[in-house]
Amino acid sequence: MEWLPHITVATIVEDNGRFLMVEEHKAGRNVLNQPAGHLDPDETLIDAAVRETLEETGWDVEPTGVIGIYLYTAPSNGVTYQRVCFSAKAVKHHPDYQLDDGIVGAKWLTRSELIAQRDNWRSELIIRCIDDYLAGHHFSLELIRPSL
């Protein structure tokens, strides 16, 4: 059996203690996640984070750092995901932007509000990334090296 990990990006966007989250319809129910998605061919990790955030929330963002690199194997399908999580600041909202299929909408939630909705998390990576962000795990974008 061939093992192929999936490379994904996620973005932590914080504004006065509230985090930009995505409510999406997956497997017959609505779940919460950071703006996140798969790396596309010929795309940089930073460009993927900016694109996914716009496509899922209608927000333009400016990446400010790297929070961490995570491995997660989804119990639902056994797929291993490598997530590169970025911090970013919100730049401009496009309220009429056509969001990706399956996206219910964007929400700004505090950590406490997220904890109260634990049963609706897409994965445990949500709180792990936020807690790493809050703990000050901020690395330079220079950590992400361009392709040769």
Side-chain angles (χ1 to χ4, degrees), residues 35-92:
H38 288 84
L39 178 69
D40 283 347
D42 300 316
E43 183 177 47
T44 70
L45 290 165
I46 293 170
D47 289 344
V50 170
R51 174 187 52 77
E52 286 289 351
T53 303
L54 176 62
E55 290 176 354
E56 293 188 350
T57 69
W59 278 92
D60 287 327
V61 296
E62 179 183 325
T64 58
V66 177
I67 302 303
I69 300 169
Y70 307 83
L71 281 180
Y72 174 75
T73 301
S76 61
N77 60 13
V79 172
T80 298
Y81 299 90
Q82 178 184 16
R83 172 187 271 203
V84 180
C85 186
F86 293 90
S87 58
K89 66 179 183 178
V91 175
K92 182 178 181 183

Side-chain angles (χ1 to χ4, degrees), residues 132-144:
D132 285 350
Y133 170 86
L134 291 171
H137 298 283
H138 302 254
F139 302 94
S140 169
L141 289 173
E142 291 179 2
L143 181 67
I144 306 299

